Amino acid sequence: MGLTFFIAFLPLAAFLVNGVCGSLFGLKGFKGRSHYFGIASVGFSLLLSLYLLFKVMDEKVISEVWFKWLVSGGLSATFGGYVDSLTAVMLLVVTLVSLLVHIYSVGYMGEDPGYDRFFAYLGLFTFSMLVLVLSPNFLQLFFGWEAVGLSSYLLIGFWFKKKSAADAAVKAFLMNRVGDFLFILGVATVFWVFGSLDFQEVFSKVPQASVKELSLIALLLLGGAIGKSAQFPLHTWLPDAMEGPTPISALIHAATMVAAGVFMVARCSPIYEASSVLTVVGVIGVITAFGAATIGLTQFDIKRVLAYSTLSQLGYMFAALGVGAYVYAMFHLFTHAFFKALLFLGSGSVIHGMGGEQDIRKMGGLFKHMKVTAVTFIIGALALSGIPPLAGFFSKDKIITSAFAEGHVVFWFFLTAGAFLTSLYMGRPYSLSSSERKGSVRRRGRNFTSPLTL
């Protein structure tokens, strides 16, 4: 079966162990220790992913078949692992961010009665995302796509007794189904046009298909990407999904699940290049990038500010895809995953220290109480704002200059304006929470608990 099998299925094993032994039966001596299995499984997956990354650096491709999944008439599909440079980058993002979230959650969720269930869900989500990015064909891609949607529903609604969390989970699930319906139509159209669902076979036959057929496929697949990556007009579920635990916001809504749409479009670049849909991808990305940035200026919930920031940065990635800058879209996906995860985990530290308070207007004077969090948060904010020499500057600059170089002056204008707005909406939560002012933490000292610093 090979290394790719173990990369994907180690987190699934952690899900089964934690779900059965810890959450379902609550075995004596196991309860409250589920993080050991989660951290170990994802840690090993990360090490194997790093090994594969070095193996494919010279443009080598690794293809493995785990088992035969489906044979029906002319349709044949396998479950397996396909690793090229694109997959290797996503494997690193998913496993590394998941590992950091696992470690962070040991302290953050330590007092939660659903501790073992939480780590079981983390394992299921990580497995789903790894199956998605390792897919060698559209059918396995769709399986991972839907499994990610299911596990995100469980994680967003983790505190299901809280009505707002339950409603947010249902909203995210239903809005993603709209995109997924278009996505499965796209997969069916791929089989109808090419007679296969294998990526390499389909892409090799692209020159033989008509532009109309390719454009129809590209539009239907784009519908799935819009839903999963929360692009306009299917974007409203993402801010509401902040009702889930903060570590989940860092894992799902900053680095992995919402990046699945970007990954899928990049994977299907031969289809999009031969179609007439790329401009549509760019327009949707620019609308989302600029529109979400303007909304972010008006938010007072620290997590919702970051949520609209995620929407905006995903818009930049789609804009890059729309101008054919696939490498820069993935570059920004990679850099954004880490500094946005840092920001979400930093916001969790603030919320934890403020006894659950998320309104930035009720914060103030936190710097002297939470120095580590303050420093790490400003590093993430500067990276997000595109301040050199941090990584966000290089990835965002490449997207903006690519738009200008390709003659998309309107794209360039709104993306540049969006970059300016980014520094404004990220400056608000930092300045309000760090500055000493009336109504600051000293007036609410009795509510202030020891912060969980990064």
Side-chain angles (χ1 to χ4, degrees), residues 279-421:
T279 302
V280 178
V281 178
V283 169
I284 291 172
V286 170
I287 291 173
T288 307
F290 184 76
T294 59
I295 299 173
L297 289 169
T298 66
Q299 301 301 306
F300 294 103
D301 185 311
I302 189 171
K303 286 178 66 177
R304 290 181 77 88
V305 172
L306 296 178
Y308 281 105
S309 168
T310 298
L311 288 175
S312 182
Q313 300 311 303
L314 288 166
Y316 277 87
M317 298 173 207
F318 271 79
L321 296 170
V323 300
Y326 301 102
V327 172
Y328 300 143
M330 292 304 298
F331 183 23
H332 195 52
L333 184 155
F334 184 85
T335 59
H336 173 262
F338 295 103
F339 59 67
K340 184 53 67 66
L342 171 63
L343 287 167
F344 267 115
L345 297 180
S347 71
S349 177
V350 173
I351 294 167
H352 193 81
M354 292 292 293
E357 182 59 66
Q358 297 184 198
D359 192 330
I360 57 178
R361 294 170 296 184
K362 298 179 181 179
M363 301 174 185
L366 296 182
F367 184 87
K368 64 182 180 181
H369 297 279
M370 310 177 74
K371 289 184 173 61
V372 176
T373 298
V375 171
T376 53
F377 195 92
I378 191 59
I379 291 173
L382 291 173
L384 177 59
S385 301
I387 304 300
L390 299 174
F393 165 75
F394 298 100
S395 58
K396 192 178 292 187
D397 177 70
K398 286 294 186 181
I399 292 174
I400 295 173
T401 54
S402 295
F404 188 82
E406 294 296 326
H408 296 277
V409 179
V410 176
F411 287 9
W412 168 82
F413 175 81
F414 282 103
L415 292 176
T416 303
F420 174 73
L421 294 177

Side-chain angles (χ1 to χ4, degrees), residues 58 71 80 243 267:
D58 56 354
V71 178
E243 292 291 339
R267 170 63 74 204

Side-chain angles (χ1 to χ4, degrees), residues 83-113:
V83 183
D84 57 5
S85 56
L86 177 63
T87 303
V89 169
M90 286 299 295
L91 285 177
L92 182 61
V93 169
V94 174
T95 53
L96 181 52
V97 174
S98 179
L99 176 62
L100 295 175
V101 169
H102 272 76
I103 296 171
Y104 181 91
S105 299
V106 174
Y108 194 89
M109 301 296 292
E111 302 300 321
D112 196 286

Side-chain angles (χ1 to χ4, degrees), residues 16 24 50 58-59 72 77 128 134 164-165 191 200 225 242 250 270-271 284 295 301 325 337 366:
L16 294 174
L24 191 59
L50 284 169
D58 56 354
E59 299 186 4
S72 178
S128 303
L134 285 167
S164 57
F191 183 72
Q200 299 310 304
M242 296 300 109
I271 294 176
I284 291 172
I295 299 173
D301 185 311
L366 296 182

